[in-house]
Amino acid sequence: MLVRHAKAGDREQWTDPDELRPLTKAGRRQAEGLVKVLSAMPVAEVLSSPSVRCRETVQPLAHGHGLEVHDSDALAEGAGAAGTLTLIRSHEDAVLCSHADVIGAVVLELAEHGVELHGGLRWEKASTWVFTVRRGAVVEGRYLPPPVF
């Protein structure tokens, strides 16, 4: 599962390093909502961009499964699709949290390679892509919209 981080504070108004920008109140509600959205999914591992807003997005989900959130630079903003696709292909039952640019690059690359994607080419904040992987290849993706609260 590839999750886009929930709503965070305004990038233009944030004066500290961008990696430290936290979720807003609405973003925290979205993060809590993801627990319900993904409740039927098996979760064995939670990986996140090192950015605070990504870690905060998946922390409630990890906590609910008794797991820690582990950072991965492959999910960091600006990292591109290659590292994230490697994680998707090699980490079964994992939740990965990243940024719009990375998720967009992943979804567009999969579409370009003919992977069947249900739900359109979208990656709204707090949304999730659930990918089916067979023999190390992504064969299908299903878009789950952000939680409603």
Side-chain angles (χ1 to χ4, degrees):
M1 291 159 273
L2 182 58
V3 176
R4 180 171 175 203
H5 70 76
K7 293 179 183 178
D10 188 333
R11 184 184 300 254
E12 286 74 37
Q13 293 181 358
W14 184 253
T15 57
D16 290 328
D18 191 57
E19 299 78 33
L20 301 177
R21 188 162 44 98
L23 295 181
T24 62
K25 189 175 183 179
R28 289 190 298 277
R29 286 194 303 268
Q30 286 179 319
E32 291 293 335
L34 279 171
V35 175
K36 292 181 184 100
V37 169
L38 302 179
S39 65
M41 309 284 184
V43 178
E45 185 176 21
V46 180
L47 302 170
S48 174
S49 159
S51 294
V52 168
R53 59 194 177 274
C54 287
R55 292 183 57 79
E56 288 180 343
T57 297
V58 291
Q59 186 60 51
L61 181 69
H63 180 75
H65 286 275
L67 300 169
E68 296 290 323
V69 177
H70 297 281
D71 290 349
S72 173
D73 289 336
L75 297 167
E77 192 166 27
T84 299
L85 283 166
T86 297
L87 291 174
I88 291 167
R89 292 178 183 124
S90 62
H91 289 260
E92 189 173 335
D93 296 334
V95 174
L96 314 174
C97 188
S98 192
H99 305 267
D101 66 315
V102 174
I103 296 169
V106 166
V107 171
L108 293 173
E109 183 167 326
L110 292 172
E112 197 172 287
H113 286 92
V115 174
E116 190 171 348
L117 299 174
H118 305 279
L121 303 178
R122 301 166 34 180
W123 43 89
E124 296 171 89
K125 290 182 181 177
S127 65
T128 304
W129 274 97
V130 179
F131 295 111
T132 302
V133 178
R134 290 195 188 105
R135 291 184 224 120
V138 179
V139 296
E140 184 178 31
R142 182 170 40 101
Y143 179 80
L144 302 177
V148 176
F149 53 90

